[in-house]
């Protein structure tokens, strides 16, 4: 029904590739006052990097520790370095260059993935990414989440849709692959609204998509609204239906890097069904194959 990231890696690299989440010590302009404070309403204190190896260690040490965690599952020994926490291009250019080059230095690292915001991609940063892309493939992951203005304001995303479209265009012109993050089940949104967000990401020219279930994490502003009864989360059956509809409109060349996202169990408030990742993935895959 769709091209998965695993299928893509087997086509391009000839084997399964595991992403190694590392922490580059970044913050976010939506936290430090440049754009806003507090971050997006759903963002945890880890900035999406709950599973990263740890800030207090060098990139090289983090990579080695991450490899050890997945060694039993990865007999081929190929990996992708992934700057997941906060905004992975929000730092001085020289510092970014140092981090990125350290991350791609090992021979068993076949690519570099960077999670960031579309308003943090100045021309000189894209030039740097283009140069690294000539050494090893670079994937830039952009947190679009939704294209609907009322939801954009509610989640405090901090940039207009036009910024996203412009960033995708400039990255594509530089030959860099773009992966777009979309959240299904945002408060006030319908299934059709999620489909429209997916359609606009496709129209923008994204190369890949990551679909996420909205989950409520402890100590976020979203938690307060959830506990106040302002919205409810999708059931597993509802999420599967929404996901299938969004996947059905993707052109065959677009790679689906995720069909759901999961927060750290220690911080999960809702929906609790999402904590059983194996069960969720088995259900989603069976539903999508019907």
């Amino acid at each position: 029904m769709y091209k998965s990231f695993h299928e893509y890696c087997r086509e391009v690299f000839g084997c399964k590739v595991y992403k190694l989440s590392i922490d580059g010590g970044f913050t976010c302009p939506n936290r430090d006052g440049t754009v806003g404070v507090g971050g997006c309403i759903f963002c945890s204190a880890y900035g999406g990097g709950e599973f990263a190896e740890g800030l207090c260690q060098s990139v090289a040490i983090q990579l080695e520790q991450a490899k050890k965690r997945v060694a039993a599952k990865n007999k081929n020994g190929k990996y992708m370095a992934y700057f997941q926490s906060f905004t992975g291009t929000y730092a001085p250019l020289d510092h970014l260059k140092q981090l990125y080059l350290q991350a791609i230095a090992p021979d068993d690292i076949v690519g570099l993935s960077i999670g960031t915001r579309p308003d943090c991609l100045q021309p000189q940063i894209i030039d740097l990414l283009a140069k690294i892309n000539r050494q090893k493939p670079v994937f830039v992951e952009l947190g679009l989440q939704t294209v609907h203005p009322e939801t954009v304001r509610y989640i405090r995303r901090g940039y207009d849709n036009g910024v996203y479209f412009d960033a995708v265009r400039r990255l594509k012109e530089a030959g860099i692959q773009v992966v777009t993050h979309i959240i299904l089940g945002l408060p006030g949104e319908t299934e059709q609204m999620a489909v429209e967000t997916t359609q606009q990401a496709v129209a923008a020219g994204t190369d890949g998509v990551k679909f996420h279930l909205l989950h409520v994490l402890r100590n976020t502003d979203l938690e307060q609204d959830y506990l106040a009864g302002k919205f409810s989360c999708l059931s597993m059956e509802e999420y599967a239906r929404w996901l299938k509809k969004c996947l059905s409109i993707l052109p065959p060349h677009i790679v689906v890097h995720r069909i759901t996202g999961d927060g750290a169990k220690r911080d999960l408030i809702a929906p609790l069904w999402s904590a059983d990742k194996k069960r969720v993935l088995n259900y989603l895959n069976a539903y999508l194959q019907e």
Side-chain angles (χ1 to χ4, degrees), residues 133-193:
N133 191 51
R134 290 193 283 270
Q135 300 178 52
K136 293 183 180 181
V138 174
F139 301 78
V140 172
E141 302 191 8
L142 300 178
L144 175 63
Q145 322 306 2
T146 180
V147 295
H148 300 285
E150 63 274 24
T151 315
V152 169
R153 288 189 292 271
Y154 173 71
I155 65 175
R156 302 196 306 253
R157 194 181 68 186
Y159 68 84
D160 295 332
N161 290 333
V163 178
Y164 163 80
F165 291 118
D166 180 64
V168 175
R169 177 187 59 79
R170 292 186 294 117
L171 287 164
K172 297 285 289 179
E173 289 176 351
I176 298 165
Q177 295 198 61
V178 178
V179 182
T180 300
H181 289 239
I182 296 173
I183 297 179
L184 307 185
L186 285 164
E189 293 212 346
T190 63
E191 179 181 309
Q192 181 56 32
M193 292 171 76

Side-chain angles (χ1 to χ4, degrees), residues 252-265:
H253 70 274
I254 289 185
V255 179
V256 178
H257 292 242
R258 266 186 179 273
I259 58 172
T260 187
D262 55 317
K265 291 182 181 179

